[in-house]
Amino acid sequence: MYCPTSTVLQGYRKCDFMSHRRTAIRRLGSLLFAVMALLALCAAPASAAGTNTVVSSNPAAGENVAVPPTQLQIIFNEEIPALAALGGIGVAMTCQGISVGLGPVQLGVDRRTVSTALTQLPGSGECAVSWSLPDGSAGAINFTIAGDTTSSSTTSIVEGGDTTTTTIATEEVAVVSEPPRVGGPLGLVRLLSYIAIAALFAGLLLLPLSWPEGISDAAAARFFKIVWPLASVITVLNMILAAAQHNGETFTESLSLNDWIDLASDTPGKALVARTLLVVFAGWMAWQPTRVIDPAYDSFALGHLALIGVSFGFDRDDGRSVAFGYLIGILHSVSALFIVGGAIMFSRVLLTGKSTEATTNALREYSKWLIRALLVVVVTGVMQTLRLDGFGILTSPHGRVITAKIVFVGVGIFITLALRKYVISTLSRVRRLNTAQSLKTRHAMNLSVAFFAVALAFTSWSVTMLPAQMPKDEAAAKKLNFAWTERLTNEGFDLQISLDPATTGPNKLRIELYAPDRINNFHVKFVPALASATGIDLGIPLERPGTAIVTIDGGLRFNTEGVWSIEVSGTTTTGDLTPLATTINLSEPPPPTTTTLPGQTTTTTTSTTTTTTTTTLPVFTLPD
């Protein structure tokens, strides 16, 4: 378009303003058209009834069900657009005119299946399920619930063709406590504890190995007086969070000595408690570093430091050849602490400016020990990886985390070796480093510490995972100390169930769900072989992978010995899961041991007890 140059307004030609205005008008028009089209689309369902109809449902229309449903499922003949579903799919249920609580409505992956879980047990009688879709389709499904809704019966066929009927009491499980997830904070605190202890461990160890002059250095004294309290506080927090995760409690509930004693029920727990005490009592060295090289105390001091390093080798008690794993774990941990902590000590204390002859000699000696520590870390790391994951390093979740750790360790080692070469080359030409050379060395050490810190973060993560060389059920049973544990799995359903003491009477129960990603109406039934005995139906309050427990005093009681069948069921948005099943043989608990002293007589007292049925079992959900 021709635009005369003489028509200028405030530096712009007039036709430029006209062009911008036409562009703005076109954009505004397009926006208005889009808004009007969207409004028309949203208003369309209101102007015409939808055509979607029900193909089938569970419960079915007109069905007379003996057992109250735990989930409603409706399958339509047409797909429900995912975007339109955001407008709302309505489902409501009433029985005998009384509204029944329902959970969130979910649309299946086929976009034709709508499901929702019942959040309360409906009463018997006539029930109606009303539904509506965003396109205006609506309808109702009527069915009848017959009989008493407080119990159900199971019919089983035994040898000889006879049938037996067992009554199953429905137990309403209530979540009375849901501790906060501590996995994230625990992982972060564990990482910070690694770094702080490494600085304390290597800093004190470097004094007799390469820098005895450091006992009188003011910067070193300040370093230890900062690092030791920091390491103590963080390690105590680590122990408290680990106890909270182990016992299924909150942080404040885990501030008692009894919870810390419970944490020490396995080898990693004992190692953590011991390490916490060792770090806290390391103040006698950190406050007086001269004791590390004083002939009167040095043996105790070095032994104390050695025990701190050794405790890290017992953080894992799984995989193949556990005893051998402890040995290489100790060597690996001590070497890693020396490498990371030594770099922190040098970068924070010795390389803050122009070096002295003492700091230069310390750097030379540290370089000699560093190459040995790096060799031990690499060799033991490879051996530990093969022991835990074997050739599944790229196929198992634990192996993939270790692979990521190896990458960062490799980069850190490369930087450390390059730095060592630079230091040796520089010190072969000069007696001490100048300020620029010291700062360059310090920056390189900080960079290597950063990569090693990321590697330690992956280490902290991997401690919570099961290695490929350890079966999940064996590892979990070992860690949980339950009398009976079994892993149940099929296509789409994967869980572990544990009982203790697995006898008649009160029991604690632990359910660990691994799959599916979403679940509703999660139930575990215990059915006795004795027909006259009453079974138990537990509703498990999990909607996604996680852990739930019933405590020993939560009301789960088996009153009959013998074989019990365990049936596990659940539903997803696409329908019912294939049930899981197993059996357990419960026996009477061993009688208490009574000791009668000479000259004493025992009196037998007969008493009558009244057994009441508990219908609410406290269930605690645990962090991942």
Side-chain angles (χ1 to χ4, degrees):
M1 175 181 114
Y2 172 74
C3 184
T5 57
S6 59
T7 309
V8 178
L9 181 62
Q10 295 182 354
Y12 293 93
R13 289 177 296 179
K14 184 176 180 180
C15 57
D16 290 335
F17 285 102
M18 296 177 63
S19 176
H20 286 307
R21 185 175 64 181
R22 283 193 294 268
T23 301
I25 291 174
R26 284 197 299 268
R27 290 178 179 175
L28 179 60
S30 300
L31 179 61
L32 291 174
F33 178 81
V35 172
M36 292 174 63
L38 182 61
L39 292 174
L41 178 63
C42 295
S47 61
T51 59
N52 216 341
T53 58
V54 175
V55 175
S56 63
S57 65
N58 185 16
E63 184 179 1
N64 191 344
V65 298
V67 179
T70 57
Q71 182 190 36
L72 301 176
Q73 186 180 77
I74 307 173
I75 302 177
F76 295 92
N77 67 326
E78 298 177 5
E79 291 187 3
I80 303 171
L83 182 60
L86 296 177
I89 300 175
V91 179
M93 177 178 174
T94 59
C95 287
Q96 296 295 98
I98 300 175
S99 178
V100 178
L102 301 177
V105 178
Q106 298 180 351
L107 180 63
V109 293
D110 59 354
R111 295 185 180 178
R112 298 191 305 116
T113 303
V114 173
S115 61
T116 180
L118 275 67
T119 59
Q120 65 185 90
L121 192 68
S124 58
E126 298 291 333
C127 297
V129 177
S130 303
W131 57 268
S132 61
L133 300 180
D135 66 349
S137 302
I141 301 170
N142 299 311
F143 62 94
T144 303
I145 301 177
D148 187 7
T149 62
T150 61
S151 65
S152 61
S153 61
T154 298
T155 301
S156 58
I157 301 177
V158 298
E159 293 184 8
D162 297 330
T163 61
T164 60
T165 302
T166 301
T167 301
I168 301 177
T170 301
E171 302 286 355
E172 296 292 335
V173 178
V175 180
V176 298
S177 175
E178 187 173 26
R181 296 179 182 270
V182 298
L186 176 58
L188 176 60
V189 171
R190 187 187 291 121
L191 169 62
L192 296 177
S193 177
Y194 287 163
I195 296 174
I197 293 176
L200 178 65
F201 173 87
L204 290 172
L205 192 59
L206 282 173
L207 296 180
L209 288 182
S210 62
W211 192 39
E213 297 85 358
I215 61 174
S216 58
D217 187 86
R222 287 194 301 270
F223 177 79
F224 291 125
K225 289 180 181 180
I226 293 173
V227 168
W228 170 69
L230 191 63
S232 299
V233 171
I234 295 175
T235 307
V236 169
L237 287 176
N238 185 21
M239 182 181 65
I240 295 173
L241 288 171
Q245 186 180 61
H246 182 272
N247 300 324
E249 297 177 341
T250 62
F251 178 84
T252 54
E253 291 172 340
S254 299
L255 295 175
S256 72
L257 179 62
N258 291 331
D259 291 295
W260 304 343
I261 294 175
D262 291 339
L263 175 63
S265 59
D266 55 14
T267 302
K270 291 183 178 70
L272 178 55
V273 173
R275 179 161 62 248
T276 302
L277 295 175
L278 289 167
V279 171
V280 169
F281 286 106
W284 74 278
M285 296 181 290
W287 223 254
Q288 294 290 336
T290 56
R291 292 173 175 171
V292 181
I293 62 174
D294 188 338
Y297 300 101
D298 60 350
S299 297
F300 297 102
L302 294 177
H304 194 145
L305 291 174
L307 289 176
I308 292 177
V310 166
S311 67
F312 284 97
F314 294 92
D315 282 351
R316 299 216 68 135
D317 62 345
D318 45 19
R320 298 178 299 181
S321 305
V322 175
F324 179 67
Y326 291 152
L327 176 61
I328 59 179
I330 291 170
L331 296 174
H332 186 84
S333 300
V334 170
S335 301
L337 290 173
F338 180 77
I339 294 170
V340 176
I344 295 174
M345 176 71 171
F346 271 94
S347 64
R348 297 294 97 190
V349 178
L350 283 85
L351 297 175
T352 56
K354 184 177 180 180
S355 67
T356 64
E357 185 174 353
T359 58
T360 303
N361 292 334
L363 192 57
R364 283 196 182 97
E365 291 298 320
Y366 174 69
S367 299
K368 294 177 183 178
W369 287 101
L370 183 62
I371 194 66
R372 302 168 189 169
L374 288 174
L375 181 62
V376 173
V377 162
V378 171
V379 173
T380 56
V382 171
M383 296 171 68
Q384 192 78 299
T385 301
L386 293 176
R387 188 185 73 86
L388 293 175
D389 295 297
F391 295 103
I393 188 170
L394 296 177
T395 57
S396 67
H398 180 271
R400 288 191 286 269
V401 171
I402 294 299
T403 301
K405 171 188 172 180
I406 291 173
V407 172
F408 283 91
V409 169
V411 176
I413 290 176
F414 174 79
I415 296 173
T416 303
L417 290 176
L419 174 61
R420 180 178 179 273
K421 182 179 179 181
Y422 167 77
V423 170
I424 294 175
S425 174
T426 303
L427 293 181
S428 65
R429 292 180 281 106
V430 297
R431 294 184 59 185
R432 59 178 63 96
L433 301 178
N434 58 33
T435 302
Q437 292 168 335
S438 294
L439 292 179
K440 184 176 181 180
T441 304
R442 180 186 185 186
H443 293 330
M445 281 192 171
N446 287 336
L447 185 60
S448 67
V449 168
F451 278 95
F452 285 133
V454 176
L456 288 175
F458 283 110
T459 299
S460 176
W461 186 7
S462 68
V463 168
T464 64
M465 307 174 71
L466 295 175
Q469 298 291 347
M470 186 66 172
K472 289 184 179 180
D473 51 353
E474 181 182 346
K478 186 176 183 180
K479 291 182 178 180
L480 296 176
N481 294 319
F482 273 69
W484 177 85
T485 298
E486 186 167 337
R487 183 76 175 267
L488 304 176
T489 183
N490 61 26
E491 185 177 358
F493 212 167
D494 187 7
L495 61 88
Q496 180 173 274
I497 182 170
S498 306
L499 272 176
D500 189 69
T503 62
T504 57
N507 276 259
K508 62 179 178 179
L509 170 72
R510 183 183 180 103
I511 302 291
E512 294 182 85
L513 179 67
Y514 304 114
D517 293 332
R518 298 284 296 183
I519 189 171
N520 289 315
N521 306 318
F522 189 8
H523 280 256
V524 177
K525 291 184 180 180
F526 297 90
V527 183
L530 185 62
S532 59
T534 301
I536 303 171
D537 183 4
L538 298 179
I540 308 301
L542 291 176
E543 295 182 352
R544 54 178 55 85
T547 303
I549 65 171
V550 178
T551 59
I552 190 68
D553 57 351
L556 178 60
R557 175 181 291 272
F558 299 99
N559 296 321
T560 305
E561 63 178 331
V563 177
W564 286 67
S565 299
I566 301 176
E567 303 171 3
V568 185
S569 61
T571 59
T572 64
T573 56
T574 57
D576 295 336
L577 292 164
T578 303
L580 298 168
T582 186
T583 59
I584 181 174
N585 192 357
L586 301 180
S587 59
E588 293 287 343
T593 302
T594 303
T595 302
T596 303
L597 298 177
Q600 291 184 338
T601 59
T602 59
T603 303
T604 303
T605 303
T606 304
S607 61
T608 303
T609 60
T610 301
T611 303
T612 59
T613 302
T614 302
T615 58
T616 301
L617 301 185
V619 172
F620 300 82
T621 56
L622 299 183
D624 297 338

